[in-house]
Amino acid sequence: MILSKKRWQVERPDATLVQALQNDLQLSAIAAKILAARGCETTAEAESLLNMTEANVHDPFLMYGMAEAVARIEQALENGQKILVYGDYDADGVTSTTVMLNVLLDLGADVSFKIPNRFIHGYGPHEALFREAYEEGVQLIITVDNGISGIEPVRVAKELGMDVIVTDHHEPGEELPPADIILHPRLPEGHYPFGELAGVGVAFKLAHALYGELPIHLMELVAIGTVADLVPLVDENRYLVKRGIQEMRRSLSPWVQAMCDIASTEQAKITEETIGFYFGPRLNAVGRLGEAAPGVELLLADDSAKASALAKQLNACNTERKDIVKSITDEAIALIESDEKIGNSLVLVVAGEGWNAGVVGIVASRLVEQYYRPTIVLSLDPEKGTAKGSARSIEGFHLYNELAKNRDILPHFGGHPMAAGMTLSLEHVDELRTRLDAQARECLTEEQLTPIVHIDIPLSIDEVSADAIEEISALGPFGTDFPKPVYVLEDVEISSMRKIGAAENHIKMELTNGYDKLDSVGFNKGHLHDELTYGIKISFIGDLQINEWQGRKKAQFMIEDVQTTEWQLFDIRGIRQTARWLNTVPKDEAQFIAFRPATMAYYQSLIGAPITVVDPALSNVEQSDYIVLLDLPQQVQRLEEVLQKTTPSRIYAHFYMPDSQYFSGLPTREQFSWYYKFLKNRPAFPLDMHIADLAKHTGWPLDVLKFMTQVFFELGFVKMESGLTTVNVNAPKQALTEAPSYKQRSEQIEMEQKLVYAPYIELKQWFDERLT
């Protein structure tokens, strides 16, 4: 039995709908399941999703304030006014800034940009930077991906005589900034048909309106910001990202090839995962560590050399960011493991002096992955007396609402159910931890503290093919609100498996449903080789990939998690070198069981773990999930009693038998008859003196001859006096099978046949019958 450390929640798409989508759209079963699971309730809806066009992009003038914004910018262009694009330091902000600069430069504007420094200015509009812009002669400020909460800085800008256009997508507060124009897809006064644009999406709408036509050349930037900012990939976001990826694959922009080079990826194979795992993090990295301007300069670069140099700079920042994240994560884990006050809290609150505030959110995510508890990571500044940081949560703990209960010690915080940022006094850090722990104990159950895996695409092996996997890519992009499928193969069997890799830390399997077979690979899952067995039903969670080798494409399942509720038999019979089988056994969890004292004496030093020699009452045998059967008992009933008491989920069958009788077998009736006549014809025969010679003469094993003698003694057929044997001709007739030694040898041979020398499948069946 292997139970996952996560809760598997399997959702099954409507089978009738899946079949209809297959038939009507000529799709594979997997693609049809994905569409059904992603909310397509009709063939028409699925077809619309598959065939998105420019018609899916909404008219930018539907956004409240768009006409006024265009008019004000055109006025600035006509009058030669200086324009400032004021951006943000994350990937969405960097791409938003670049989009706005592109359109304004194309239209001949006198334009510059500023992005606040995370550590000096913090997020959003900053009064000092606005005053600096005024000194530089700026007459119009356009914020991108920020500004909706910058009430006071915008007021200062207006007092200085500058006009301000705010373009943002973050949640508007009760009070809006006194800007001249606000472009926001969710303004109460507006009726824009889609409210989930990223910051770069709002900037793109303004660019669209200024150009007077859809700016296809900017879509690659929109795709990056939209994917990196984790906004829902539905409606026009979906089309913008899909088209943007297509444009990136064939783009001549120097930054695209430069980013592909540092990320070691092929431009023609760019996907949303390339953006999410390679491009986005590098654009984010510069702003996390310092100035974000190099990100904008890269995206604006007009020659390959400059783009390459800037891409390398971003890559170096990303490498440094990774090192910082690892260092802080290691320190945080050390605090959690060493300090019971921190480690025992249901909400982890860890703090360190000088921790980089730009990466603490990433660290919080790492800690949630490891501990699956709501987590706050704070950077302490003793000089200012403040703690500043980020939080990440788990399902069931509404982070914003729970933090809001502590407003008296949390003067500055913001966020949503799963993530938040905050600043508080150093003296209140321990108090916040204590309060949040108490709050969590009131609302979180033991079940909620177990990670959940949402699985929405159950598969059968016969549905998986290289063609089907290629078809899945056409359903992308996958992301927020249109997540990448999580597949499950249920109740399949292993037909072969082996460890792979130089360190044998990976595993390669062939899975089967009894007819079809599917290759599967588990990276860093080599341990499964010692935890899984053949002949049982197993379920796997994972992803689908195509393995291409020498022009041949083959479907492959990438294992991420596994579980089975069946007990398992590990066959370690006949392996003489103890070290070869011992390293496959979880020694600290297993109960080593012997039925004979001699077995314990033999293995004690070899195993290095306690060995239980079963006593007559089984009082020293404990219930155990894992048992190792080192040898066989005298009677099979003893083994059955041990199984009943231990109720194991794993059995390691070794069955060491130095005195095996299976191959010697039982003497035939003719052999007993010959031996009886031999002794009868030789009264007072000195058997002890000549038994070895007799064994050589007959060709029978010595132990067989001794066994036959013991049977005769037990039945009274032969007696021995003063070392001489004499046949008792008056002994009552009895069957040979009545002799205790005959019964024992017969049982021993039968037990060895069933347990020691039987094929694996028969041994498994024998245990099955007794465990069920």
Side-chain angles (χ1 to χ4, degrees):
M1 179 183 296
I2 296 180
L3 297 179
S4 173
K5 294 180 180 179
K6 301 177 180 179
R7 283 184 286 152
W8 291 17
Q9 289 189 351
V10 182
E11 299 174 7
R12 304 180 191 280
D14 181 80
T16 304
L17 175 58
V18 170
Q19 191 62 57
L21 294 174
Q22 277 187 263
N23 296 339
D24 295 346
L25 300 177
Q26 297 300 297
L27 296 173
S28 67
I30 302 177
K33 287 180 179 181
I34 294 171
L35 290 172
R38 296 294 170 274
C40 293
E41 297 181 353
T42 65
T43 299
E45 289 181 6
E47 194 167 20
S48 175
L49 186 143
L50 290 170
N51 301 306
M52 299 187 83
T53 66
E54 291 182 14
N56 293 98
V57 180
H58 302 303
D59 182 348
F61 287 97
L62 293 175
M63 189 173 292
Y64 183 81
M66 184 63 74
E68 292 80 359
V70 170
R72 179 62 186 88
I73 293 170
E74 287 177 344
Q75 178 189 341
L77 294 172
E78 290 172 9
N79 298 331
Q81 294 178 340
K82 291 178 72 76
I83 301 174
L84 173 70
V85 176
Y86 187 91
D88 186 30
Y89 40 66
D90 65 2
D92 188 16
V94 167
T95 51
S96 300
T97 303
T98 309
V99 164
M100 207 69 252
L101 288 171
N102 265 284
V103 62
L104 293 174
L105 289 169
D106 284 348
L107 296 177
D110 180 1
V111 62
S112 60
F113 76 95
K114 290 184 187 293
I115 295 178
N117 184 296
R118 180 192 295 264
F119 305 99
I120 300 172
H121 310 108
Y123 168 75
H126 193 274
E127 182 180 328
L129 292 179
F130 279 9
R131 290 186 180 279
E132 186 179 283
Y134 174 73
E135 296 295 328
E136 294 168 356
V138 169
Q139 293 168 280
L140 174 63
I141 297 174
I142 303 174
T143 71
V144 289
D145 191 35
N146 74 98
I148 200 68
S149 61
I151 297 170
E152 190 56 35
V154 171
R155 181 177 290 118
V156 169
K158 292 301 297 172
E159 290 174 354
L160 291 171
M162 295 183 289
D163 287 344
V164 179
I165 298 174
V166 167
T167 77
D168 202 352
H169 73 122
H170 295 95
E171 198 62 38
E174 293 182 5
E175 182 183 357
L176 297 178
D180 295 270
I181 301 155
I182 297 177
L183 296 180
H184 193 293
R186 294 192 304 280
L187 276 187
E189 303 94 326
H191 301 284
Y192 191 72
F194 181 61
E196 299 298 334
L197 290 169
V200 72
V202 181
F204 180 80
K205 304 311 290 189
L206 179 54
H208 184 181
L210 287 167
Y211 278 120
E213 61 182 13
L214 193 65
I216 303 297
H217 67 290
L218 298 181
M219 282 188 173
E220 53 196 40
L221 298 172
V222 180
I224 293 179
T226 301
V227 170
D229 214 52
L230 303 178
V231 293
L233 289 189
V234 296
D235 204 281
E236 66 179 329
N237 276 351
R238 182 168 192 76
Y239 176 74
L240 293 173
V241 172
K242 188 167 189 172
R243 182 66 182 271
I245 289 173
Q246 292 171 355
E247 294 301 318
M248 262 187 276
R249 289 174 178 173
R250 54 176 176 254
S251 175
L252 299 177
S253 300
W255 71 263
V256 177
Q257 187 56 58
M259 289 287 266
C260 286
D261 288 343
I262 60 170
S264 301
T265 188
E266 292 183 47
Q267 183 174 345
K269 294 183 179 179
I270 290 174
T271 67
E272 66 273 20
E273 291 190 348
T274 311
I275 296 171
F277 293 111
Y278 300 106
F279 294 177
R282 285 170 169 82
L283 286 171
N284 275 322
V286 281
R288 290 188 185 280
L289 302 185
E291 299 293 340
V296 177
E297 293 167 6
L298 167 64
L299 299 178
L300 288 173
D302 53 9
D303 68 81
S304 298
K306 183 177 181 181
S308 179
L310 287 165
K312 289 176 181 176
Q313 182 180 341
L314 265 64
N315 194 52
C317 285
N318 195 47
T319 301
E320 183 183 353
R321 187 269 304 169
K322 288 180 181 177
D323 292 341
I324 293 171
V325 168
K326 184 181 185 305
S327 175
I328 297 175
T329 301
D330 290 345
E331 288 182 46
I333 290 173
L335 284 173
I336 293 167
E337 299 296 338
S338 63
D339 190 326
E340 291 186 1
K341 180 176 62 176
I342 297 174
N344 291 337
S345 175
L346 288 191
V347 178
L348 297 175
V349 179
V350 288
E353 187 174 331
W355 285 356
N356 187 307
V359 302
V360 290
I362 300 175
V363 175
S365 295
R366 298 279 192 277
L367 296 178
V368 171
E369 288 174 10
Q370 177 153 344
Y371 295 99
Y372 201 69
R373 279 182 266 174
T375 300
I376 298 174
V377 181
L378 299 167
S379 175
L380 305 180
D381 187 338
E383 291 186 7
K384 295 180 180 178
T386 60
K388 181 179 181 181
S390 294
R392 299 293 183 269
S393 195
I394 63 175
E395 290 189 32
F397 192 81
H398 193 296
L399 194 53
Y400 183 87
N401 289 349
E402 297 300 330
L403 289 173
K405 296 174 183 177
N406 301 279
R407 291 182 187 274
D408 58 316
I409 61 172
L410 268 182
H412 306 289
F413 78 95
H416 51 78
M418 300 300 288
M422 70 204 67
T423 302
L424 67 155
S425 170
L426 284 178
E427 62 182 355
H428 291 141
V429 171
D430 288 342
E431 174 68 14
L432 179 64
R433 179 188 299 112
T434 301
R435 290 189 189 184
L436 290 175
D437 177 51
Q439 291 168 217
R441 292 183 188 279
E442 289 182 3
C443 67
L444 286 176
T445 64
E446 190 67 32
E447 185 179 39
Q448 288 173 314
L449 289 166
T450 303
I452 302 172
V453 182
H454 296 285
I455 308 156
D456 52 5
I457 311 297
L459 297 178
S460 58
I461 289 179
D462 61 294
E463 294 173 336
V464 182
S465 67
D467 290 341
I469 297 173
E470 288 184 334
E471 189 178 61
I472 294 168
S473 63
L475 306 184
F478 295 103
T480 305
D481 282 10
F482 197 88
K484 184 178 179 181
V486 178
Y487 304 100
V488 61
L489 288 167
E490 297 175 293
D491 296 334
V492 297
E493 294 186 16
I494 299 171
S495 60
S496 67
M497 63 175 164
R498 59 187 173 90
K499 293 180 181 180
I500 58 174
E504 294 192 334
N505 56 331
H506 313 306
I507 193 167
K508 184 175 180 62
M509 297 182 188
E510 192 173 55
L511 307 178
T512 181
N513 57 8
Y515 304 97
D516 309 287
K517 292 184 178 180
L518 176 64
D519 285 349
S520 65
V521 173
F523 288 112
N524 297 311
K525 290 186 168 41
H527 59 90
L528 291 177
H529 185 274
D530 299 329
E531 297 174 11
L532 294 173
T533 54
Y534 300 98
I536 61 172
K537 300 294 184 184
I538 309 171
S539 296
F540 294 89
I541 293 177
D543 193 13
L544 294 173
Q545 288 188 5
I546 293 177
N547 181 24
E548 192 166 352
W549 175 252
Q550 295 182 338
R552 183 171 176 237
K553 295 180 178 180
K554 197 173 183 182
Q556 190 168 258
F557 188 83
M558 309 305 295
I559 301 169
E560 294 174 7
D561 201 2
V562 56
Q563 67 179 9
T564 176
T565 56
E566 294 191 27
W567 78 275
Q568 294 168 270
L569 173 64
F570 293 83
D571 188 357
I572 53 175
R573 298 173 297 175
I575 304 177
R576 294 183 179 180
Q577 297 88 354
T578 305
R580 279 186 55 206
W581 61 261
L582 187 59
N583 61 13
T584 68
V585 176
K587 286 175 60 176
D588 296 338
E589 302 173 71
Q591 182 177 187
F592 290 83
I593 294 175
F595 294 93
R596 306 166 191 234
T599 304
M600 183 182 73
Y602 178 78
Y603 278 111
Q604 191 70 72
S605 61
L606 295 173
I607 290 176
I611 296 175
T612 300
V613 179
V614 179
D615 65 24
L618 271 72
S619 60
N620 59 343
V621 176
E622 301 175 350
Q623 192 283 329
S624 179
D625 285 337
Y626 307 155
I627 64 170
V628 183
L629 299 172
L630 292 173
D631 61 9
L632 285 180
Q634 296 291 340
Q635 291 86 30
V636 73
Q637 289 82 1
R638 296 295 286 166
L639 175 54
E640 292 172 340
E641 291 166 357
V642 166
L643 295 176
Q644 188 175 16
K645 187 164 184 181
T646 55
T647 62
S649 61
R650 290 190 197 176
I651 297 174
Y652 295 82
H654 183 52
F655 296 147
Y656 171 66
M657 290 297 296
D659 58 345
S660 173
Q661 299 174 11
Y662 177 74
F663 292 105
S664 297
L666 283 168
T668 64
R669 186 175 182 81
E670 288 73 20
Q671 287 175 306
F672 274 109
S673 178
W674 183 92
Y675 187 33
Y676 180 82
K677 290 178 181 177
F678 175 87
L679 294 176
K680 184 178 180 182
N681 293 331
R682 291 166 178 76
F685 181 68
L687 183 61
D688 286 347
M689 185 183 303
H690 296 293
I691 192 168
D693 294 330
L694 182 58
K696 290 180 182 178
H697 173 73
T698 60
W700 301 341
L702 181 60
D703 73 298
V704 170
L705 201 56
K706 290 180 177 179
F707 163 70
M708 295 169 71
T709 306
Q710 182 65 26
V711 170
F712 286 160
F713 286 160
E714 291 172 355
L715 295 175
F717 293 170
V718 175
K719 59 183 178 180
M720 180 176 285
E721 295 177 357
S722 303
L724 303 176
T725 59
T726 303
V727 171
N728 181 9
V729 294
N730 296 317
K733 289 186 176 182
Q734 296 182 74
L736 296 171
T737 55
E738 294 297 315
S741 57
Y742 192 99
K743 290 180 180 179
Q744 183 178 340
R745 188 181 183 95
S746 178
E747 289 178 1
Q748 181 75 17
I749 291 171
E750 182 181 1
M751 185 162 50
E752 288 185 34
Q753 180 182 8
K754 289 181 177 179
L755 301 178
V756 180
Y757 300 107
Y760 176 88
I761 191 168
E762 292 181 13
L763 181 64
K764 176 74 163 52
Q765 184 177 356
W766 187 92
F767 279 109
D768 266 332
E769 291 169 355
R770 283 144 185 86
L771 290 174
T772 56

